[in-house]
Amino acid sequence: MHAFHTLAYLDVEKSGSTYVSQFLRDFLDDDEVWCRKHHELEDRPPAGRLHVLSVRDPVDTYLSLFSYGSQGRGGLFGRLRDAGHGALYDGTAAGFDRWLDVVLDPASAAVLDPPSYHRRGVAEHTGLLSYRVARLAAPRPDRWMRDVGSPEEFVAAYRRHHVVDVVLRNERLPQDLEALVLRDDLSWRPSRQAALTAVRAQQRLNTSARLDSVRGFAVPADLRGRVAARERLLGEVFGYDHRHRTPTSESIQARSRA
């Protein structure tokens, strides 16, 4: 979480969070209170503070995680490697298919990242990526997750407890950031126009070298359905279901300049 007095950014992993956090540090006209990557909210968030969450298509995220791990990088790669699954990161479509089976399997929760996914006992009811969103977007996850007994209950509990005011979608990050800058309840330095100019100047780039852009890397035909079955929160709350396709080439990496 990246907290200011007027705004808290809930920085979900692999959603463009490094860029958003730096952009806020450069341009939001407010004092920084606290910043720790991917950390959960306070038990009682301050009243009147705006809560901003970034999300990303789960299929796109899983492809990115596999590509990143195939370069020997990332916390998830390290945990899976240490658990004996390092060979899955072979950079092939077949390897990705096998890797995805492992990551989507609730029985693998103990070796996934973050460790709290297993500790809180919700892996039977939600996929890893939906969990990552939920734990950052709703205070006191230990308390509300312990009463969840089904995928439907997980989504319903999230809806009751989340504090999200603004959603930034990775697929349209410049547009969503522009809308944030245009809000009347936030101030920007050196000016609102300077922040808008910085947003509009960003170029759409792939976040990293993506294996699915390589000729011959064909993702499984049932990929989106398999992911949607586990990532119900991202599907039902944010619209990333098996009927929704976001072009993988539209993921964004940008650099904020003051």
Side-chain angles (χ1 to χ4, degrees), residues 7-79:
L7 179 152
Y9 172 49
L10 314 177
D11 57 334
V12 175
E13 299 96 316
K14 304 296 286 184
S15 66
S17 60
T18 299
Y19 165 57
V20 174
S21 189
Q22 188 60 53
F23 176 83
L24 293 172
R25 181 173 280 135
D26 288 346
F27 291 103
L28 185 65
D29 191 14
D30 194 4
D31 293 329
E32 182 177 287
V33 176
W34 192 73
C35 184
R36 185 174 175 184
K37 277 189 166 187
H38 319 310
H39 199 273
E40 295 171 5
L41 279 157
E42 313 98 324
D43 285 353
R44 292 178 176 81
R49 188 178 68 184
L50 191 75
H51 293 94
V52 179
L53 175 78
S54 55
V55 295
R56 184 178 181 182
D57 183 304
V59 170
D60 200 43
T61 306
Y62 278 128
L63 283 163
S64 180
L65 283 168
F66 179 73
S67 298
Y68 201 56
S70 293
Q71 302 169 42
R73 303 169 68 188
L76 180 59
F77 162 74
R79 288 180 62 82

Side-chain angles (χ1 to χ4, degrees), residues 8 20 24 28 55 68 80 85 116 120 123 140 160 187 243:
V20 174
L24 293 172
L28 185 65
V55 295
Y68 201 56
L80 285 170
H85 296 297
S116 61
R120 286 178 172 143
R140 294 181 283 186
R160 289 195 304 272
S187 298
R243 296 174 297 276

Side-chain angles (χ1 to χ4, degrees), residues 141-158:
D142 278 325
R143 178 175 297 183
W144 67 265
M145 287 187 187
R146 70 188 177 197
D147 297 324
V148 167
S150 70
E152 294 81 7
E153 289 181 9
F154 187 86
V155 174
Y158 171 84

Side-chain angles (χ1 to χ4, degrees), residues 56 59-65 67-68 71 206-214 217 245-251:
R56 184 178 181 182
V59 170
D60 200 43
T61 306
Y62 278 128
L63 283 163
S64 180
L65 283 168
S67 298
Y68 201 56
Q71 302 169 42
N206 286 335
T207 54
S208 56
R210 283 279 296 277
L211 292 170
D212 56 312
S213 65
V214 176
F217 191 103
R245 185 67 182 99
T246 301
T248 58
S249 62
E250 288 191 350
S251 53

